[in-house]
Amino acid sequence: MATDPALAANPLANQPVRASKGEGGALGKTGFAWAVFEWARNPYYILIVIYIFAPYFARDIIGADLLASGALDGLPPDKALAAANAQGQATIASVTKWAGFIAAMTAPFLGAALDRGGPLKPILGLFLGSIVICSSMLWFAMPGGQGLSVGTIMALLVIAYVSYTYSEVTHNAMLSVAGEPKRLAMISGLGLGLGNGAATLIFLAIALLFVLPATTGWPFATPQFGVDLAKFEHARLAGPICAAWLALFSIPFFLNARDPGVPGASWPKAFREGAASVWRTLRAASQYRQLMKFLVARMFYADAMAALLALGAVYVALFLGWDFLEMLCYAIFASACAFAGGIFGGWLENRIGVKRALVVEILAMVATGLVQLSITQESLFLGLVENREVWTGPVFPTLSDIVYLSLISVVAVTATASISSGRTMLVTLAPPGRSGEFFGLYAIAGTITVWMGPLLVEQFTLWSGDQRVGMVSINLLFFIGLGVLLTVRMPERTT
């Protein structure tokens, strides 16, 4: 095995021998323990950051409080509402910006220290404890100045977001020892599948216990446990639910996952040597040409994917007019499909190789996204098929609704599979024993350009006056990332 240039060139980087390979597969003791961690943690991101709490905070706290303050009384009602919504969206963007900036500037140094320090589980426990505390306190985020202040809520979201990123870097640094190298793809895919499966169960519980009883009187006459939707308790409750879920279901991981850390290793020394190693790695990027090319590719395609997933919900609300219940059903369906995506990603990587799998997944997202943009409330496929009512049920009554929903399944499967393939590709390309450091750089590649997708959409929309043209511009990032990805040379596959 070739010597890692950075370690060979630097005597300070000498360290106790660390495990770099594991045994077993996705259903083995250590492999399943690594995967079940995402069953515990990922619902926080899906419920709080994407589907439930962030929209509630933007619309029903920031936007509603601005309207109630009288600051927009001089505007017509529709313009006042638009201004309030814009302020809410800007607030969420600010949270994401600051959290992403902090994580991007620090995650590589954390990852490098993880490659050199002691056991990783205690460090990971600190990050999870931070998420649990912050998530629990979101129950007190109420409109009208009650409960926590806006500044406090934003701080909690930033701290939890950064802690989530740190926990992801730490968890990913343990992937290489979770199982046999040839089975890491399935282990990684199973983890993503379980994470989305857990979110699906929580979404279903919220729908059946709270939302459906309040809106349809089924399956219960009233919302259970005294939850009051008028006080947004169903949205606020997402925080404590995710906190309890994380605390409970992370226990199997801590009991059974394999820890590559060396007992007794000095953490202060690990951080000093890790920081020096990150700077050497960046200065000597040519020695890791294929890995750096992959990280550049990820910088573009991951930003495009994030914009597609986030702004796709705006397109649905604007062009198809889906209400809260339909959006909840959309979240359940997408999360269930994403569960399959994690498994599909691992299977596809084993069948055709991780690089080819990632290319297929990106192309599928691009093609499906273009078809989605051809659907409006009036027609499908750029006017070739007229929209019509299919049934008179409470959700998705038209052909446009049903076709768009079916296409969401493809995006959810391939987006989740691409995350699994990206992780496996990094483990494949990273020097042995340094996956933590490069997963830190991997985190930068996924956050440092997070502004590019929204900026493209904004500028193309303003230029064309058509939101669909703005959404099409996301594909520029996909194609740049794909072009760089195709130049990456992978090591020969081993058996």
Side-chain angles (χ1 to χ4, degrees):
M1 180 179 296
T3 303
D4 179 13
L7 294 180
N10 178 32
L12 290 177
N14 292 332
Q15 54 184 312
V17 177
R18 301 170 69 89
S20 60
K21 295 182 180 179
E23 299 178 352
L27 298 181
K29 181 179 179 180
T30 58
F32 187 77
W34 187 93
V36 82
F37 177 83
E38 299 202 289
W39 166 277
R41 185 198 58 184
N42 289 16
Y44 172 84
Y45 192 89
I46 296 171
L47 271 74
I48 304 301
V49 178
I50 300 178
Y51 289 115
I52 293 183
F53 188 84
Y56 157 69
F57 181 46
R59 181 184 60 246
D60 300 310
I61 295 182
I62 301 298
D65 287 355
L66 182 59
L67 288 171
S69 70
L72 304 177
D73 287 350
L75 298 175
D78 57 336
K79 293 187 180 297
L81 180 60
N85 288 340
Q87 183 61 45
Q89 181 173 314
T91 302
I92 293 296
S94 179
V95 168
T96 305
K97 175 189 68 178
W98 284 109
F101 177 78
I102 295 170
M105 293 300 102
T106 55
F109 301 100
L110 169 66
L114 296 175
D115 290 333
R116 294 159 169 78
L120 274 59
K121 288 182 181 179
I123 301 296
L124 187 55
L126 293 176
F127 301 145
L128 297 189
S130 173
I131 299 172
V132 167
I133 293 172
C134 292
S135 187
S136 299
M137 294 186 67
L138 295 180
W139 168 255
F140 301 102
M142 295 178 274
Q146 305 178 63
L148 302 175
S149 68
V150 168
T152 301
I153 299 170
M154 293 177 67
L156 289 173
L157 293 174
V158 168
I159 293 170
Y161 191 110
V162 173
S163 299
Y164 188 94
T165 301
Y166 288 169
S167 73
E168 185 175 15
V169 172
T170 309
H171 181 234
N172 285 342
M174 301 171 71
L175 175 59
S176 61
V177 299
E180 298 176 35
K182 65 181 180 180
R183 300 189 180 184
L184 294 183
M186 286 303 299
I187 294 172
S188 174
L190 177 62
L192 287 168
L194 288 174
N196 284 280
T200 302
L201 291 179
I202 298 174
F203 279 132
L204 284 171
I206 292 174
L208 293 174
L209 295 176
F210 312 132
V211 179
L212 286 174
T215 56
T216 67
W218 181 90
F220 305 102
T222 59
Q224 298 299 288
F225 310 113
V227 169
D228 188 349
L229 270 65
K231 296 180 180 179
F232 304 102
E233 291 181 353
H234 59 302
R236 293 159 47 203
L237 194 58
I241 289 175
C242 290
W245 189 277
L246 174 57
L248 176 63
F249 288 109
S250 61
I251 294 174
F253 167 82
F254 284 102
L255 291 177
N256 298 313
R258 188 177 180 188
D259 191 331
V262 177
S266 168
W267 278 110
K269 181 180 179 182
F271 275 97
R272 289 194 303 271
E273 294 183 359
S277 179
V278 171
W279 293 120
R280 285 194 308 274
T281 298
L282 294 175
R283 288 195 299 268
S286 61
Q287 297 173 339
Y288 311 97
R289 186 180 300 274
Q290 304 309 315
L291 181 50
M292 290 300 179
K293 285 195 293 187
F294 166 63
L295 292 177
V296 171
R298 169 177 158 76
M299 185 170 66
F300 288 98
Y301 82 72
D303 187 36
M305 182 176 69
L308 175 65
L309 296 177
L311 298 176
V314 177
Y315 178 84
V316 167
L318 179 62
F319 282 92
L320 301 185
W322 288 3
D323 59 22
F324 181 84
L325 181 58
E326 286 173 318
M327 292 300 292
L328 183 60
C329 293
Y330 156 48
I332 293 171
F333 180 69
S335 296
C337 293
F339 170 83
I343 308 301
F344 171 77
W347 173 84
L348 187 64
E349 292 163 37
N350 284 330
R351 294 284 294 181
I352 65 176
V354 62
K355 176 183 169 181
R356 291 191 182 94
L358 189 53
V359 170
V360 169
E361 290 149 6
I362 292 173
L363 289 175
M365 279 189 282
V366 171
T368 306
L370 290 174
V371 176
Q372 285 179 316
L373 293 176
S374 73
I375 299 174
T376 69
Q377 293 190 55
E378 290 74 36
S379 66
L380 299 85
F381 315 128
L382 298 177
L384 294 177
V385 178
E386 185 177 351
N387 191 25
R388 66 180 186 275
E389 187 175 83
V390 176
W391 72 312
T392 58
V395 293
F396 312 123
T398 71
L399 182 63
S400 289
D401 295 330
I402 294 172
V403 173
Y404 195 96
L405 187 68
S406 67
L407 292 171
I408 285 171
S409 66
V410 181
V411 175
V413 167
T414 53
T416 307
S418 74
I419 298 172
S420 174
S421 298
R423 293 195 304 204
T424 306
M425 194 163 177
L426 186 133
V427 170
T428 304
L429 291 170
R434 295 181 64 202
S435 61
E437 175 182 341
F438 282 97
F439 266 119
L441 295 173
Y442 183 83
I444 275 190
T447 59
I448 200 168
T449 60
V450 72
W451 49 270
M452 285 197 300
L455 178 63
L456 276 177
V457 173
E458 176 190 17
Q459 293 303 314
F460 273 76
T461 302
L462 292 174
W463 166 72
S464 66
D466 188 329
Q467 188 181 2
R468 287 187 290 176
V469 174
M471 290 291 289
V472 168
S473 68
I474 293 173
N475 292 311
L476 294 174
L477 299 178
F478 271 127
F479 287 130
I480 293 173
L482 186 61
V484 178
L485 178 64
L486 290 173
T487 69
V488 177
R489 294 197 306 272
M490 298 295 292
E492 293 184 7
R493 297 180 70 184
T494 58
T495 58

